[in-house]
Amino acid sequence: MQAYLKLDHIDKIFTRGNASTEVLKDINLTIEKGEYVSIIGHSGCGKSTLLNIVAGLTGATNGGVLLENREVNSPGPDRAVVFQNHSLLPWLTVYENVKLGVDKVFARTKSKAGRDAWVMHNLSLVQMAHAKDKRPSEISGGMKQRVGIARALAMEPKVLLLDEPFGALDALTRAHLQDSVMALHQKLGNTILMITHDVDEAVLLSDRIVMMTNGPSARIGEVLEVPLARPRKRLELATNPGYLKCRQRVLEFLYERHSFVEAA
Amino acid sequence: MSMPAMKTEMLEVAISPAVAAAPVVTMTPKRAPRAERYARMAKESAARVVPPLIVVALLLVVWELICRRAGSSLPPPSKVFKDTRELILDPFFDNGGIDKGLFWHLSASLQRVAYGYSLAAIAGIALGTLVGQSVWAMRGLDPLFQILRTIPPLAWLPLSLAAFRDGQPSAIFVIFITSVWPIIINTAVGIRNIPQDYRNVAAVVQLNPLEFFTKIMIPAAAPYMFTGLRIGIGLSWLAIVAAEMLIGGVGIGFFIWDAWNSSHISEIILALFYVGIIGFVLDRLIAGLGRIVTRGTAAN
């Protein structure tokens, strides 16, 4: 396996005063180019911390992140993040929110007209071109998240990081957006690392599912390959034995072997 | 004495078409018939204009009744109007020295406020940003600010007269030092309250410090800044009248003091009325500016 993104022996210890908590212990993971990998675990297991470390927003205590064999330890557009709560800037329009990143990333390589066209191209990828002049407060939660995805895609990241991107959405909108992300992955072949706590979502979207044990000192408990052919169809998979088996494996891991311990 | 009524009416007429028209245009596809719209508009403005008119009229009547008897120390409204007729009707006369119309006094005061307040806005936002952004700047400066801001405006005046040796810059300095504290403190709170999400976005996009300041900090903290700016303009106007009483020259503050020394009580009352109206307009001006600048920011 060729390592495109490599998480190398990552430990994370939070220290406050004299008390220190080890959140993550010895996380090793390699991700291929074009692969869709999900990280699943109970809340509080440190999966968001792990994503922040990959994004460079939080530093690892030990170990590091290698992208194309180069260490990355500060945030940058090559690892664009889609945040759970969309994090669009409310004083900018949809267009300007996407443009913010595009103007920085393509300041030298694209002309003004080229950048404009690229923003519109990415907005149409997520079917949001029609709302380009609206402000975030004027569009629905699902639409905001679409714009968040467009903003991240428009930076042409090497790795797209999704931090529970569908967590704050209602079930119908969530399914719709999952299909969109699947279609985008199919079309653009991005490398994607996604945090989730939804078993169906993980199985439906991922090539591999990384299951994390409970914190403190969370580790990677198990990595499951999802051997389902793409493109995947939500309805057909509902009765597919391969899909059900994967789903079963993840459920067993989460609820039998590493069930959530209150106040752990 | 029909001034308050006229003023409110004018404001209502100016404001209500915009307020009433906006929802009609954007929300409902079909326009209501014109006559009906005007009738509703008239009804809405009447509901807002009539109650204050009644209150003002009642107060004038009470005032008239209390002060009309002979030997009263304050003049009744009818006498105030009779005494100050010329000042009201001709605010633009200029007989040299300080014998000028009220327009010139008010504009001199407003000019001082404009200078002092502009300086305070610039310095306040800059210092507030520094204190909000840097923990060490806050630890160093905040205790100082907390003590300095409690010093009454006029207490600064002798010191600034000693430093500048001139009335004009001293008055401007008093305005500055009075209005700068709320601007600093509110800006600092606004900067400190910028959500981590926005900082994360800026980090991923790799904005440089200048871009971060103009594209994230200023718009995110703008609602707080305008709270400070609004308190600041109110304090400036409070301070200028008091400062001008002491420094003399042309200005509404000294006009009031001069009227007192000449026992022209009616002129004092007229001047107070103008001071109140202008303070109100200044406050609304900054509030309106804030609404325009922060559109969208506060909505989320």
Side-chain angles (χ1 to χ4, degrees):
Chain A
M1 189 196 291
Q2 191 203 344
Y4 185 63
L5 178 71
K6 187 171 162 75
L7 281 59
D8 195 12
H9 298 282
I10 289 177
D11 298 332
K12 179 68 189 176
I13 300 167
F14 281 117
T15 322
R16 199 195 305 156
N18 294 325
S20 64
T21 328
E22 187 172 48
V23 182
L24 296 170
K25 185 163 176 62
D26 200 27
I27 304 288
N28 284 296
L29 184 65
T30 51
I31 296 173
E32 281 176 76
K33 191 167 186 176
E35 208 178 4
Y36 196 130
V37 175
S38 293
I39 298 178
I40 196 167
H42 290 290
S43 81
C45 75
K47 51 192 195 295
S48 279
T49 307
L50 184 59
L51 188 99
N52 282 340
I53 290 173
V54 177
L57 295 167
T58 309
T61 309
N62 297 308
V65 179
L66 297 163
L67 180 59
E68 289 184 314
N69 293 319
R70 299 240 308 267
E71 187 179 6
V72 284
N73 50 20
S74 63
D78 55 346
R79 283 150 294 131
V81 187
V82 177
F83 298 95
Q84 180 178 8
N85 58 353
H86 69 78
S87 294
L88 298 179
L89 303 177
W91 53 86
L92 299 180
T93 63
V94 162
Y95 174 85
E96 289 164 340
N97 263 291
V98 179
K99 187 99 185 308
L100 188 71
V102 170
D103 277 347
K104 285 298 284 184
V105 176
F106 300 106
R108 288 203 193 81
T109 47
K110 276 187 169 49
S111 67
K112 198 164 179 301
R115 293 201 293 267
D116 173 74
W118 179 243
V119 170
M120 289 318 292
H121 170 70
N122 280 280
L123 279 176
S124 32
L125 277 180
V126 296
Q127 290 104 44
M128 283 303 294
H130 62 92
K132 76 183 186 74
D133 293 323
K134 291 227 164 73
R135 286 178 195 280
S137 56
E138 297 166 333
I139 58 179
S140 70
M143 288 167 135
K144 285 179 200 164
Q145 206 50 278
R146 282 176 186 276
V147 178
I149 292 169
R151 175 172 65 184
L153 284 176
M155 293 184 236
E156 273 196 334
K158 289 176 176 156
V159 183
L160 189 60
L161 303 173
L162 309 180
D163 187 3
E164 297 191 28
F166 316 117
L169 304 175
D170 67 89
L172 293 175
T173 312
R174 187 186 307 163
H176 197 54
L177 214 53
Q178 285 165 351
D179 291 343
S180 296
V181 167
M182 227 174 353
L184 282 172
H185 180 233
Q186 192 74 25
K187 187 172 170 186
L188 306 172
N190 308 81
T191 311
I192 301 180
L193 181 61
M194 177 176 80
I195 303 291
T196 182
H197 50 229
D198 182 328
V199 176
D200 291 297
E201 179 175 293
V203 178
L204 176 67
L205 295 175
S206 318
D207 296 317
R208 277 191 298 155
I209 302 174
V210 175
M211 292 172 257
M212 293 190 59
T213 65
N214 284 320
S217 300
R219 293 170 294 104
I220 291 180
E222 197 179 323
V223 180
L224 176 71
E225 297 263 355
V226 182
L228 299 171
R230 289 178 188 273
R232 298 171 182 170
K233 294 256 165 50
R234 181 182 301 275
L235 279 177
E236 291 166 15
L237 285 179
T239 50
N240 180 318
Y243 175 83
L244 293 174
K245 216 167 89 187
C246 289
R247 197 169 172 277
Q248 188 65 24
R249 283 280 297 278
V250 180
L251 286 172
E252 274 171 12
F253 179 90
L254 289 176
Y255 298 106
E256 270 183 25
R257 279 179 284 156
H258 296 278
S259 68
F260 186 60
V261 191
E262 204 76 48
Chain B
M1 276 338 284
S2 60
M3 275 308 277
M6 262 175 59
K7 207 73 183 183
T8 19
E9 242 166 16
M10 269 163 54
L11 278 177
E12 289 304 330
V13 172
I15 288 166
S16 43
V19 170
V24 171
V25 173
T26 54
M27 302 298 283
T28 55
K30 246 199 268 177
R31 276 173 176 240
R34 281 202 154 192
E36 204 176 294
R37 263 194 317 145
Y38 285 135
R40 207 181 53 224
M41 249 154 60
K43 219 166 137 187
E44 276 171 9
S45 18
R48 267 177 295 174
V49 175
V50 172
L53 278 185
I54 294 174
V55 172
V56 169
L58 277 176
L59 285 176
L60 286 176
V61 169
V62 171
W63 178 9
E64 181 77 38
L65 288 177
I66 292 175
C67 295
R68 74 190 303 180
R69 67 193 161 74
S72 165
S73 55
L74 293 177
S78 54
K79 187 168 181 317
V80 170
F81 182 69
K82 213 162 61 198
D83 289 349
T84 58
R85 241 184 100 91
E86 279 167 35
L87 281 172
I88 294 172
L89 294 181
D90 183 12
F92 298 109
F93 73 85
D94 185 352
N95 297 336
I98 59 162
D99 190 10
K100 293 181 200 295
L102 276 169
F103 172 83
W104 302 110
H105 287 286
L106 287 166
S107 81
S109 300
L110 279 172
Q111 215 170 52
R112 293 188 182 110
V113 167
Y115 284 132
Y117 180 71
S118 306
L119 289 174
I122 295 165
I125 287 174
L127 277 171
T129 305
L130 178 70
V131 171
Q133 184 66 3
S134 146
V135 177
W136 282 105
M138 187 181 87
R139 286 181 191 161
L141 291 171
D142 195 55
L144 201 65
F145 291 165
Q146 296 300 339
I147 292 171
L148 289 179
R149 78 187 175 91
T150 63
I151 297 176
L154 279 191
W156 289 101
L157 188 61
L159 189 67
S160 59
L161 278 170
F164 295 112
R165 296 173 187 284
D166 186 15
Q168 182 74 355
S170 303
I172 291 172
F173 175 77
V174 169
I175 299 302
F176 169 82
I177 206 77
T178 307
S179 55
V180 77
W181 309 116
I183 302 176
I184 292 177
I185 289 165
N186 281 284
T187 303
V189 171
I191 299 283
R192 231 172 287 147
N193 281 353
I194 294 176
Q196 187 59 40
D197 298 343
Y198 300 168
R199 294 180 187 274
N200 286 345
V201 170
V204 169
V205 178
Q206 285 186 330
L207 296 181
N208 63 37
L210 184 69
E211 288 168 325
F212 181 64
F213 178 72
T214 56
K215 292 188 175 167
I216 309 281
M217 269 186 172
I218 293 283
Y224 290 88
M225 284 178 193
F226 272 95
T227 306
L229 288 170
R230 211 173 150 187
I231 299 172
I233 195 76
L235 291 180
S236 304
W237 193 237
L238 291 184
I240 189 65
V241 174
E244 282 174 349
M245 285 186 176
L246 294 177
I247 62 163
V250 179
I252 194 68
F254 189 68
F255 175 87
I256 294 173
W257 194 244
D258 194 41
W260 157 242
N261 283 331
S262 331
S263 303
H264 294 153
I265 307 300
S266 297
E267 291 182 8
I268 297 179
I269 292 172
L270 177 72
L272 290 188
F273 173 74
Y274 278 129
V275 168
I277 289 291
I278 288 182
F280 173 78
V281 170
L282 286 177
D283 181 66
R284 285 303 148 104
L285 217 64
I286 300 293
L289 190 67
R291 251 203 309 281
I292 294 170
V293 173
T294 61
R295 73 203 181 300
T297 316
N300 224 11

